[in-house]
Amino acid sequence: MHWFAAKSIIVSFPRWRPLTLLLRRLSARRFNALPLPLRQGERINSFKAERGRIVRGATKATRRSKESKYLIEEEDNSHIMWWKEKMQTCKKPSSIQLVKRLNYSNLLGLDVSLKNGSLKEGTLNMELLQFKSKFPREVLLCRVGDFYEAVGFDACILVEHAGLNPFGGLWSDSIPRAGCPVMNLRQTLVDLTRNGFSVCIVEEIQGPTQARTRKSRFISGHAHPGSPYVFGLAGVDHDVDFPEPMPVVGISRSAKGYCMISVLETMKTFSVEDGLTEEAIVTKLRTCCYHYLFLHMSLRHNSSGTSRWGEFGEGGLLWGECNGKRFEWFDGTPVNELLYKVRELYGIDQEATFRNVTVSSEKRPRPLYLGTATQIGAIPTEGIPSLLKVLLPSNCFGLPVLYIRDLLLNPPPYVIASAIQSTCKLMSNITCPVPEFTCISAAKLVKLLESKEANHIEFRRIKNVVDEISHMYGSSELSAILQMLLDPTWVATGLKIECKTLVKECELISHRIGEIVSLDGEKDHEISSFPNIPEDFFEDMESSWKGRVKRVHAEKAFAEVERAAEALSKAVTEDLLPIILRVKAVMSPLGGPKGEISYAREHEAVWFKGKRFAPSVWSGSHGEEQIKLLKPATDSKGRKVGEEWFTTSKVEDALNRYHEACAKAKAEVLELLRGLSAELQTEINVLVFSSMLLVIARALFLHVSEGRRRKWVFPTLVEFSKSSIEMSEIRSIITGASPRSLVLMDEICRGTEMAKGTCIAGSIVEILDHIGCLGIISTHLHGIFDLPLTRKNAVYKAMGTESADGHTKPTWKLIDGICRESLAFETALKEGIPEAIIRRAEELYHSINGRACSENDMKNGNLSPPDSGVNGFDEASDSLRRTSNGFTHVSDTLNPIEILQKEVENAVIIVCQRKLIDLYKKRSLSELAEVTCVMVRAREQPPPSTIGASSVYVLFRPDKKLYVGQTDDLVGRVRAHRSKEGMENATCLYVVVPGKSVASELETLLINQLPRQGFRLTNKADGKHRNFGTSNLSLESLTVHQ
C-alpha cells in the first residue's frame, strides 16, 4: 500500500518536486485531517478515491497534474456539510438537476472531471475558490463582463431562490453555472437575502487590459439579510431600501434566568438582556428577525449534555420555538464567544470592538408574556386585530411602527414612560408647525458612511435630520419636546448626549454638508447644450455627476468639461453639419439620401447616421469635402458598429476629450463625497442619536395625531353590580394602587344611598389623590363638588356638549370645570320614553331646582351677551384696525414669494375677522374669536392640535396661484396636497375657526373676496356652489392688493 501511495504521489505532482517534501506533506495530511462522516451515495473525493483514476494511465494523470487543491481541508468539512444540507432543500426540477452534477470535494462543489471544472492555478475557478475560502458560507457572485456569475453550490442557490436559469441548459456536461446581468444585481441580492443567504460580491477592475491577461478582481462588499450591498451608491441617483438590521442572537441561562445577547454587525453594537423568563425569551425570538441563532451549552440540563435538552419540563417552550429552525451550540463566556462567532461569520477583524448598548434593567418592567402580546394584538395573530393599526395611522409604516411595537413588547422604565407620556401631551397642545421628522435608519447611516458610499441624496437627508434638531431647539414650543426626548433616545441607542452639545454638533454637521453638497434650488449645474448635438447625449453624460457638489470645489474639472463640450460642438458643426445641410437640400422621391446627427446611446457617442448620401458624381459642391472625411464608426473594441454610422477623426478626437473630461469631473465629485463621508465618521454617534430621536418624535406625533382623529371614544361599562361587589373592587384598587398606577372608575358608589355614597366617593378621591396615581373617576353624584375635600392634584373635568339642530349633544371631550347637569332627558327620549313623561319630568326638575327654562328665555330674547363679549368686540375691532393700518407696509427685504405670502396673510386676517365679528353680532357665535394665521412652510407640517378642529387654509402653489379650502384634518389635507407632482414643498397658512359651518362660510367668502383683491385662485368656481359667505360685507376697506 505504501508503494502505491508513493507511486501516486510521484505521478500526481510535478516531477521536479522533491520526494521527501511530498511524503512529509502527505504524512501531515494523514495524521491531522479528521475523517468526514459519509453517507451512502455521497461523492467526496479523498486521496485513495483518486488513486484508481490516476494509475489508469500516465496521460490522464499528467492532464490532472495541476489540479492541486481539490482535496478537503480539515476546516472545510463543516462548511461543505452545511452546503450539502442546503442542496438537499432544493425543490425546483432545474436546481435538482444541477445538484446531481456537484462534487463535495471543495468549497465550490465543482467536479473537476466535468467541462469548465478545472481548478488549476490561474483559472477563474481557482480564483473563486480563494475568495470562497475567506467567506465559505456566503453565496459568491463574481463580475465577468456584463454578468455576475456563480458556479457550483452558488449556482444552484441562484436557480432555486433567485429564479435564474442555468447557463448551458439542464442537460449539459458542464459544471453548474448561473448568473444575472449587471442591471439585475440588486433584485438578485434581494431574492437571496430574503431567503436568509449572505452574498459576497466580487468586482473586476474596469479599464483596458493587455491581451490574454485576466482582469484583476477584488471583494467589493457583502449583502446580508438586513444589510444590503452598497458598493457604487456614491455615484448613482437612486437610493437602496435598508430593511431593519437582523442581529445575531445568542441565548444562555444563568441563576438570574434566561439571557439574550443581540449583536448587530452593521452597527458594531451588542446588548444583553438577562433575568428573562422562558415566555419572555420566546416572545423576543418570535418578534425578532435574526440572521443566526446560537444556543449556549448552559441550556442543557447537565454539563455532559447527555439528556435531551428541553423536550420535557423546564425549557420545553423554548425547545418548541427552536425546534425545526437552524441553530448552533456554543460554549464558553456567552458574550465573548458570541462576538468571536460574529467576527468569524462576517469576516471582521478579531481586533474590531463592539459597543455595549445595554441599558440597566433593574427598574425596567418585565417584557410582555407571549400570551398577553398575542391577545392584545401586539404580535400579528390571525383573528386578532392589530393594536398598532389602532395606535397609528393606517398609512404609517417603517421605523416609527417598529419603535411603538418595541415599546409595547418591552415596556420602558417608569421615568422613560413618563417622559414619553409628557411628550405626547405637549405634542397634542402645540400650535406651531412641526418638522417632517425625517426618519433614517441608524444602520443605514453607519454602513454608508463607513463604506464611504453616501451619495448626495443621502447627505441632503442627513442635513434635514440635523436641521430639524436645530429647528426644534430654536422653537419655544418644540424645545421642551426635544429636551424630553433625550432620555427615550438614550434608552434606544445606548448613547448619552447633552442637549446643547447635540444642537452644537448638528449645526456643525449641517454647515459642513452645506459647504460641499449642492442643495435643492441651486442653479450652477446646468447641463451642456448645443444646437447641433442631441440633448439626450449631454444629459446622459453629465447628469451622473452634476448637481451633486458645489461647483467651486471642482471648478477646473467643470470648466474643462464645458470647453470639451464646446470643442465637440465645433467639430460636429464643421465636419457633420454641412453633410446634413446637403442631404436636406436634395429633394428627391423615395430612395433619396438620408442623414442626421444622432446619439448612439449604447456607445455613448455622437455620430452621423445616414445612407445614400455620397454623390454619384463628385462636382465639388457644398458638403462633398466633409463626406470624403467620413469613416465608419467603431466601438470601444475597434469593431465596426454598422453600415449607417459614420464619424470623422476630428469628431472622434473631440469626443474622446469630452469623455475624459467627464470622467475626471465625475472622479473629483466622487472623491469629494467620499471625503465628506470620512469627515462625518467622527460624528457618527451624533447622527445615530439624532436620527433615532426623530424616529421617536415621528412615532409619537403619528400616535397623537391618530388619537385626535379617532377622538378616543372608549366604550362605556354598563354592567350593574351590588354595592358589596363594588366596595370589594374598590378595596382591591386602593390596596394595589401606587404612584405608577392608572385608575379608571365609572359611576363610583352608584349602588347605595346617595348621601352616604357621595361621602364614600369623596373619601376615595382623597386617598387616591394622596397616593399620587393617575386616574379618571366619573360620577353623577353632584354633591361631591360641595364636600370639603382635601386634595392636591385632583382636578374637576366636565363632558363637553354642543347644540345642533336645537338639540344638545355630547362632544365626548373633557373640558375644565364642574358640570351639574346631564343628558338624562335627551337619552330617555332617544330610547323611546313617551314625550309626555319627559315633559313632566322637566317640570318636576325645574320645580326642585328653582330654575326657569333657559332655552325659552334665550328664544324670547330675555338674555343678553355678557359684558366681556362687548369688550371682546371692541378689542377685536381695535386689532382689526391696527392690522388694516399696517397692511400696506411690506418689508422691502422680502423676496416676491414672501411678499405674496404676507399680503395673503393680512387679507385673510381682515376678511375672516370681519366675518367673525358679523357672526358674533348676530349671536351665531357664543364668543368672539381672534383670527390668528399660522404659516406652514416647506418641510413642515401642521401640529396635531389641528386634527379634529375646523380650519380654513390657503395653499400657495408654485405658479403663484392660491387654493382655498377648509377641513377638520389639516395634517391629512396638507399631506394629500403635497403628494401631487410639483407640490412637494408647497407652503400653506391656516386659521382655526369655531365649527365646521363657520369654516364653510369663511372658505366661500375667501374664494369670492381674494380674486377681487388681485389674487389668482385655482378653485374660484367653488364659490358658486356654496350657500355660505354671501353676506353683503363692505369691501372698500379690504381692497389692499392691486
Side-chain angles (χ1 to χ4, degrees), residues 669-883:
V669 169
L670 291 178
E671 184 179 357
L672 287 168
L673 292 177
R674 292 193 167 108
L676 183 58
S677 292
E679 289 185 44
L680 294 186
Q681 287 181 17
T682 58
E683 304 288 348
I684 196 68
N685 286 347
V686 173
L687 293 176
V688 169
F689 190 91
S690 301
S691 63
M692 191 64 211
L693 188 146
L694 292 185
V695 168
I696 298 175
R698 180 163 181 80
L700 300 184
F701 169 80
L702 293 171
H703 173 57
V704 171
S705 300
E706 185 65 13
R708 294 187 64 91
R709 187 176 293 109
R710 290 176 177 269
K711 301 181 180 178
W712 298 117
V713 180
F714 296 98
T716 302
L717 299 176
V718 295
E719 180 183 359
F720 294 95
S721 61
K722 295 182 179 180
S723 178
S724 59
I725 298 178
E726 181 183 7
M727 291 301 105
S728 177
E729 294 172 346
I730 292 177
R731 175 185 56 81
S732 300
I733 291 175
I734 293 175
T735 303
S738 70
R740 301 184 181 182
S741 300
L742 173 65
V743 178
L744 303 176
M745 293 187 184
D746 183 52
E747 295 293 350
I748 185 174
C749 297
R750 64 191 178 278
T752 187
E753 185 263 331
M754 181 181 296
K756 294 181 180 179
T758 301
C759 295
I760 295 175
S763 180
I764 292 171
V765 170
E766 284 186 339
I767 188 63
L768 292 177
D769 181 86
H770 176 73
I771 292 173
C773 60
L774 296 176
I776 298 176
I777 300 176
S778 68
T779 181
H780 282 95
L781 302 176
H782 299 150
I784 198 173
F785 303 125
D786 301 323
L787 298 177
L789 301 181
T790 302
R791 57 188 178 88
K792 296 180 180 179
N793 302 313
V795 295
Y796 294 136
K797 295 284 186 178
M799 176 65 73
T801 60
E802 63 181 2
S803 180
D805 301 327
H807 299 284
T808 302
K809 296 182 178 180
T811 62
W812 306 112
K813 297 179 180 179
L814 292 179
I815 60 176
D816 293 328
I818 297 174
C819 176
R820 297 179 182 270
E821 303 289 337
S822 72
L823 300 178
F825 297 147
E826 290 81 357
T827 303
L829 185 63
K830 180 180 179 182
E831 295 300 325
I833 301 297
E835 187 174 355
I837 297 177
I838 301 301
R839 285 199 302 268
R840 178 57 180 161
E842 289 179 344
E843 293 173 4
L844 294 174
Y845 177 78
H846 293 308
S847 66
I848 294 175
N849 290 276
R851 297 181 181 178
C853 182
S854 60
E855 182 177 355
N856 293 332
D857 290 340
M858 287 297 295
K859 291 181 179 179
N860 295 331
N862 296 331
L863 297 180
S864 59
D867 294 340
S868 60
V870 177
N871 294 336
F873 174 77
D874 294 337
E875 293 174 1
S877 300
D878 293 340
S879 175
L880 181 60
R881 193 178 302 111
R882 289 193 301 269
T883 303

Side-chain angles (χ1 to χ4, degrees), residues 110-151:
L110 299 184
D111 186 343
V112 296
S113 65
L114 295 178
K115 183 179 178 182
N116 300 320
S118 175
L119 285 173
K120 293 180 181 179
E121 293 291 342
T123 61
L124 178 60
N125 288 344
M126 177 54 69
E127 190 175 4
L128 294 180
L129 185 59
Q130 293 172 353
F131 287 126
K132 189 76 170 181
S133 62
K134 298 179 180 179
F135 303 97
R137 296 195 182 184
E138 295 187 13
V139 177
L140 189 69
L141 290 181
C142 179
R143 175 76 177 267
V144 181
D146 295 331
F147 281 81
Y148 286 93
E149 295 186 6
V151 298

Side-chain angles (χ1 to χ4, degrees), residues 848-966:
I848 294 175
N849 290 276
R851 297 181 181 178
C853 182
S854 60
E855 182 177 355
N856 293 332
D857 290 340
M858 287 297 295
K859 291 181 179 179
N860 295 331
N862 296 331
L863 297 180
S864 59
D867 294 340
S868 60
V870 177
N871 294 336
F873 174 77
D874 294 337
E875 293 174 1
S877 300
D878 293 340
S879 175
L880 181 60
R881 193 178 302 111
R882 289 193 301 269
T883 303
S884 301
N885 292 338
F887 178 72
T888 56
H889 302 287
V890 181
S891 175
D892 295 334
T893 61
L894 301 179
N895 60 45
I897 299 297
E898 293 174 336
I899 293 175
L900 173 64
Q901 293 173 354
K902 189 65 177 176
E903 290 175 345
V904 172
E905 178 182 356
N906 290 334
V908 169
I909 291 176
I910 294 174
V911 172
C912 292
Q913 191 70 73
R914 287 186 178 274
K915 181 61 179 178
L916 292 178
I917 293 173
D918 185 52
L919 293 174
Y920 181 75
K921 287 180 178 179
K922 296 177 180 179
R923 297 182 181 175
S924 298
L925 296 178
S926 59
E927 61 181 18
L928 181 62
E930 185 174 354
V931 175
T932 302
C933 280
V934 181
M935 190 75 67
V936 181
R937 305 189 184 279
R939 306 206 71 259
E940 292 181 343
Q941 51 189 336
S945 58
T946 58
I947 299 176
S950 299
S951 58
V952 182
Y953 67 93
V954 179
L955 190 75
F956 296 86
R957 293 168 49 88
D959 56 4
K960 297 185 179 181
K961 291 183 179 181
L962 309 178
Y963 178 91
V964 179
Q966 62 86 22

Side-chain angles (χ1 to χ4, degrees), residues 296 423 447 513 585 628 645 1035:
H296 195 259
T423 302
K447 185 161 187 176
I513 294 177
K628 294 179 180 179
W645 294 95
L1035 299 176

Side-chain angles (χ1 to χ4, degrees), residues 2 107 184 299 326 330 358 367 413 518-519 580 671 689 848 879 883 898 976:
H2 291 285
L107 288 174
N184 295 340
L299 293 174
R326 180 166 184 82
F330 73 112
T358 305
S518 178
L519 305 178
I580 302 300
E671 184 179 357
F689 190 91
I848 294 175
S879 175
T883 303
E898 293 174 336

Side-chain angles (χ1 to χ4, degrees), residues 67 166 226 245 254 299 325 398 447 475 615 622 736 864 937 1016:
E67 312 286 351
S254 64
L299 293 174
K325 298 181 180 179
K447 185 161 187 176
S475 170
H622 181 71
S864 59
R937 305 189 184 279
R1016 297 183 301 161

Side-chain angles (χ1 to χ4, degrees), residues 237-385:
D237 261 331
H238 58 80
D239 195 12
V240 172
D241 292 331
F242 266 69
E244 189 65 11
M246 298 176 65
V248 174
V249 174
I251 299 175
S252 63
R253 190 180 178 187
S254 64
K256 293 183 178 180
Y258 290 91
C259 176
M260 180 173 178
I261 309 168
S262 298
V263 183
L264 286 175
E265 171 267 336
T266 304
M267 302 290 293
K268 301 296 187 296
T269 60
F270 71 93
S271 62
V272 181
E273 295 182 77
D274 57 1
L276 299 175
T277 63
E278 187 179 2
E279 277 209 357
I281 205 78
V282 171
T283 303
K284 287 182 172 293
L285 286 178
R286 194 163 295 182
T287 57
C288 172
C289 295
Y290 50 83
H291 191 192
Y292 291 101
L293 176 62
F294 290 90
L295 302 180
H296 195 259
M297 296 297 292
S298 59
L299 293 174
R300 294 184 179 273
H301 291 296
N302 52 54
S303 58
S304 63
T306 56
S307 64
R308 303 179 65 181
W309 166 69
E311 195 167 350
F312 303 101
E314 178 71 17
L317 188 62
L318 180 58
W319 178 86
E321 179 68 22
C322 297
N323 188 32
K325 298 181 180 179
R326 180 166 184 82
F327 63 85
E328 295 183 23
W329 292 98
F330 73 112
D331 202 355
T333 305
V335 173
N336 295 338
E337 288 299 321
L338 189 63
L339 292 178
Y340 176 83
K341 293 283 187 182
V342 170
R343 293 187 181 99
E344 187 179 38
L345 284 170
Y346 294 98
I348 302 174
D349 184 53
Q350 289 296 330
E351 301 300 324
T353 59
F354 284 73
R355 182 169 56 89
N356 187 356
V357 295
T358 305
V359 178
S360 175
S361 58
E362 292 181 0
K363 298 182 178 180
R364 186 166 188 165
R366 291 183 179 275
L368 262 63
Y369 287 115
L370 180 61
T372 304
T374 301
Q375 291 301 317
I376 68 174
I379 298 178
T381 306
E382 186 177 358
I384 299 178

